[in-house]
Amino acid sequence: VASNCLTRIDGMTRLIDDTIAEVRSLSTQLRPPAIETLGLAAAIEDYRLQFEKRTGIDCHLGLETRKHVSAAQKLVVFRVFQEAMTNVARHSDATRVAVRLFAHRDTVHLEVEDNGKGMPCEPRARQHLGLLGMRERAHQLNGSLEIASNGGQGVRLALTLPLSARSTEP
């Protein structure tokens, strides 16, 4: 009986340890520590390295952020970037993706462009959860998200956020 209890306790301990590791992983995915400690450009660069290693897709970065971007804006830019890269990996059949992050006057811009097969043009085909989530993130900070695709010629995603943006959330 005692050995059965010890076996069960050992199993529960492993389950608790695995759960803690999963919660830490999810927490890191929700707010990557690299954004907080190193900044947005470094977080994007770190993700790019992982993306290239995981997918084999060549990724070129142009990161020019000299203006102040708020913590909320950094998180939205990073999440839109992350979702765009996920879409490239899953759907595009691309061999190359170019990412530009820059500030111009009173706005910050993120552009992600791939050389893949493009997206269907039917409006309904564009209403996937990932795309809706990116649009909602942009909207929360009074920004915009444009997606352009010519069949067979890749996809270009452009996020624009006003630098003085206030969240529309209460």
Side-chain angles (χ1 to χ4, degrees):
V1 172
S3 115
N4 187 21
C5 285
L6 290 176
T7 302
R8 291 183 72 193
I9 290 171
D10 187 47
M12 286 189 281
T13 301
R14 280 195 303 266
L15 181 60
I16 290 168
D17 289 342
D18 290 347
T19 302
I20 290 170
E22 183 66 21
V23 167
R24 283 187 181 140
S25 174
L26 290 171
S27 174
T28 297
Q29 291 172 14
L30 290 174
R31 185 174 288 278
I35 291 176
E36 304 286 330
T37 58
L38 302 175
L40 179 58
I44 288 174
E45 173 64 25
D46 182 58
Y47 190 90
R48 177 195 70 88
L49 293 171
Q50 294 173 31
F51 175 84
E52 283 186 333
K53 185 184 289 186
R54 187 177 71 250
T55 66
I57 299 171
D58 191 30
C59 182
H60 297 277
L61 293 181
L63 306 175
E64 309 158 20
T65 54
R66 290 180 181 82
K67 296 194 178 197
H68 175 74
V69 179
S70 74
Q73 292 165 329
K74 288 177 186 177
L75 187 58
V76 165
V77 168
F78 186 80
R79 288 295 171 223
V80 168
F81 161 74
Q82 191 176 41
E83 182 65 29
M85 299 300 281
T86 297
N87 288 344
V88 168
R90 286 185 183 165
H91 308 295
S92 74
D93 292 332
T95 59
R96 180 178 39 81
V97 61
V99 177
R100 285 188 64 216
L101 175 66
F102 62 97
H104 182 263
R105 296 188 181 173
D106 296 334
T107 56
V108 62
H109 302 269
L110 171 72
E111 297 174 355
V112 180
E113 188 168 1
D114 69 60
N115 69 344
K117 64 184 179 184
M119 292 174 43
C121 292
E122 305 87 51
R124 191 170 286 178
R126 291 186 178 213
Q127 299 303 314
H128 297 286
L129 289 178
L131 297 177
L132 289 172
M134 287 189 281
R135 288 188 195 283
E136 180 60 27
R137 287 179 188 275
H139 177 72
Q140 286 175 349
L141 295 180
N142 300 313
S144 65
L145 182 77
E146 296 176 14
I147 301 170
S149 177
N150 292 325
Q153 297 179 1
V155 173
R156 181 180 177 276
L157 176 140
L159 169 70
T160 302
L161 297 176
L163 287 172
S164 60
R166 297 282 187 253
S167 174
T168 58
E169 292 182 24

